[in-house]
Amino acid sequence: MTIAFKPDETFRGDFRYANSPAAILRFPFPFDQDSYMYGINMEPHTRSTMGGAFAAAFDVDEHYVAECAERAAVLAADPGRCQVLPHMVEAEWDTLELIMESLSADYPEHFTLEREGDDWIWTNRPLSLHQRFRFGDPSSLPQSPFEYIARQAQGDFTLQDQRDGTLYMDGGIATTQADWSLSFDLGMTFHEWHGPVPLAHQKGVFDRALSYLMRVRYGHPARRLNWTMTVHPRLDTSPENYPVWGAGPHHFDGGQHRRDAAFAGRIADILPAAALERAAVLHPRLSCQHR
Amino acid sequence: MSGQDIKSRPVYTPLARDPAGRAHLLIIDDAAPPAEAFAPGTSAADFPETWSVAAHSQALPAPLAGNGAQAFRSASHLIAMLRHRLARETMGLRLYAIGAEHFCWDVAACASAAGMGRDEFFLYAAGKPARRVVCVHCRTLNEGVSTNLITCTGCHARLFVRDHFSRLGNAFMGVQIDAEVPGETIEIEELSA
Amino acid sequence: MRDQPVLSLRVAAAEAIAPTLRRVSLRAADGARLPPAAAGAHITLSLPASGHARPLKNAYTLVSADLEHGYTLIVRRTDPTRGGSQHIHEALAVGDVLEASVPHNLFALHSQAKKVLMIGGGIGITPLLAFIAALRARGTRFELHQICNSADLRVFAALIGAQPGEAVHLHAGRSTFDAAVVLGAQPLGTHVYSCGPAALMDAIAAQAAALGWPASHVHREDFGAAGGEPFTLTIGTSGARITVAADQTMLEALEAAGIDAGSLCRGGACGVCALPVRAGELEHRDHYLSADERQSGAVVMPCVSRARGDSLVLDI
């Protein structure tokens, strides 16, 4: 599947961004009800054979090139948006291997991985990258292995260390987050990290989600369609830059400003059909959990 | 805005000796602990080894000595000596800390750095709330915070103090209150302990 | 590694390293790269067994997983032989192709350990061999106590290949190993891993607790005690009756009867095969269910647990 990338899109300033009809058709709209509440919408990542956003392990769409450029811009202003604790170095290489294997298998016309033992050559044609490196040797890459590959994928990532009967968020990259700070939350347990999310703890959502995640098995990926809405196609809705983006129009709630909605990660609980027409962008945040 | 019910905010239970421990070290950031820091039936006397802070430059404690009472020159002096002590300890030790919240988590950081798990140390934050609040926008650490609204000493933003606590960073999070509507504010409240 | 629940593995090498120990190296049947596996991971092999219509599934710890040798296992021939090890010792040949699960790790090294203390009994050495390689690569301090028959001393010493300065101790039998002394002298931040007979692991856990070790620092790998008294299993929905033999697990008996319960570790650790129980007294042998769940008697892990009486009714 050849993708017609739109490298000139922007996610700040003049907000040059639009979805093609094909992009709207492949969008995994989760809006099958009139009201929404937190739930455990995790499920096995069964590949769709009909194309669409569920066909690949890591989805690449027409916004790929522009989103990678936006990520690079955020990291240039704040390198702390990507941090990994030292004991997660093996997880960094695992991430690189998983994403490179997946992208090259799912999109062979755009990505190629050649391997001779630990000598690897990675080609990313949409970003014009051609990198020889030695797997396991961080000095052979321009960034740490995790940052190197996460800069070439859409959406945010976290690295979780399973120990003491929970998951510790011991690394990640967050340049398109809905109001959570990687540098503040680094090293937290699953429950601490999700502490500020309202209502869901009382419903037992995180207990069950943690139990599900700790049983995700290698070779059996799971997915969760996690979405937020913004008026502008702004990806950097970070708490770090909240003073910058908070002043703009940013969410639908009948014109009322609700501070708690911003703090809550803005998983909208109100979505009248009319809002869809008004929406400049609906950006899905599809997170796949892998081992 | 009190009672935010955020799960990362530590909950402190009055201390008692962990019956599973082999050795016990009680640490206090003052000369003596408040009575409410202990569970019913427990007192400082139940802990065979106690470290406290004399707030005096001539204090001369023996941090590797073992059971008994030791008084340190300052909380910082105590923490520095605790690192040396833990590097020489064997499995089976339990640590207990009573004091200002950030002091308790400094002790916890020493314990974690020495490889102790969360089931090996017990904390009780005592005294008036005096939080360390990190401004999420400019990274400034604002010390001694006792209200839910402050002005960041670094970037001068009006910050709302969220009950979201980082054990690694030993700080609560401060987020600008009026980023959406300049000047918007809420009633200032004293933070609860 | 992409979603791929089942691997097809070809036997690349198989050799007897002792009269009762066989080392087997497995590679992908199609020559592709195998998924990586961290130290402590296991795979489940489907093995043909004489007298059984269906293949037996056995979980084996990976001694190593690398590009050069693929997955390496060391299998002990048990006495009386159960189907799996018998097949590996008597029939398995280079070139054979076996179906296997992808690696899964229920015995992972703790990332915060300042030191790792390993205590192995007999063939329980297998995950510890993988640990040693990982700890050497990480530069993490470790200490190993391996208890074995005197006949196995030399072959185990060769497998470990102790380097100068490493704290590696081989014990011919339990008598020269003093758990209280070893556990009583460990620096703060040590994690202990035991693997071997249940009695050894129970003794380590009890001694560690007595010396004040917190539960978070005490780890064990269970192969699960398989055997016991035979009993009759009744399937609640159909009324079908299945005999569970003395040398068979409930899970194996269900699979032999064509009921696929779904399983992963087959050692009472992962919780995947848990089944609802309608009636009957249980002997729980797993390390997964909570105390409340055991007490309720409403759920059982058929991979290791058994009926306490002569019958059990499952709510399936």
Side-chain angles (χ1 to χ4, degrees), chain A residues 45 47 87 90 94 97-98 101-102 105-106 115 117-118 120 161 163-164 215-221 291, chain C residues 1-5 33-36 38 67 102-104 110-112 138 191 216 263-264 270-272 288:
Chain A
H45 182 49
R47 305 294 193 97
H87 65 266
E90 289 163 58
D94 283 347
E97 179 170 16
L98 176 68
E101 280 191 349
S102 301
D106 289 334
R115 292 187 281 194
D118 284 334
W120 294 25
D161 185 18
R163 61 180 198 264
D164 307 334
R215 282 195 229 168
V216 168
R217 281 147 56 185
Y218 198 52
H220 299 71
R291 281 280 175 79
Chain C
M1 156 65 208
R2 309 182 64 238
D3 28 327
Q4 184 182 0
R33 291 169 81 100
L34 286 171
L67 282 178
V102 295
H104 190 68
H110 196 286
S111 65
Q112 306 301 300
R138 282 184 202 177
H191 284 249
S216 62
S263 67
L264 179 59
C270 73
V272 168
Y288 177 79

Side-chain angles (χ1 to χ4, degrees), chain A residues 25-102:
Chain A
L25 279 176
R26 74 191 296 285
F27 189 93
F29 281 98
F31 316 123
D32 59 346
Q33 296 162 49
D34 290 334
S35 64
Y36 293 89
M37 185 33 73
Y38 298 102
I40 310 175
N41 55 333
M42 283 181 290
E43 58 189 339
H45 182 49
T46 310
R47 305 294 193 97
S48 148
T49 51
M50 309 282 288
F54 294 150
F58 294 90
D59 188 43
V60 170
D61 68 12
E62 64 186 20
H63 310 297
Y64 173 79
V65 173
E67 284 190 25
C68 290
E70 163 70 11
R71 166 157 287 167
V74 172
L75 286 167
D78 183 1
R81 297 294 189 89
C82 180
Q83 292 186 51
V84 182
L85 294 177
H87 65 266
M88 299 297 277
V89 64
E90 289 163 58
E92 291 202 44
W93 288 106
D94 283 347
T95 310
L96 175 135
E97 179 170 16
L98 176 68
I99 296 180
M100 285 186 176
E101 280 191 349
S102 301

Side-chain angles (χ1 to χ4, degrees), chain B residues 97-156:
Chain B
I98 300 170
E101 189 163 33
H102 59 83
F103 172 80
C104 288
W105 288 100
D106 281 343
V107 171
C110 286
S112 301
M116 296 178 86
R118 291 187 181 197
D119 47 357
E120 289 171 276
F121 59 83
F122 304 88
L123 313 175
Y124 189 86
K128 282 192 215 144
R131 291 187 184 179
R132 183 181 285 165
V133 176
V134 63
C135 172
V136 75
H137 315 301
C138 80
R139 325 295 151 88
T140 299
L141 283 174
N142 296 272
E143 302 279 356
V145 172
S146 62
T147 56
N148 64 341
L149 269 187
I150 58 166
T151 299
C152 176
T153 58
C155 67
H156 306 296

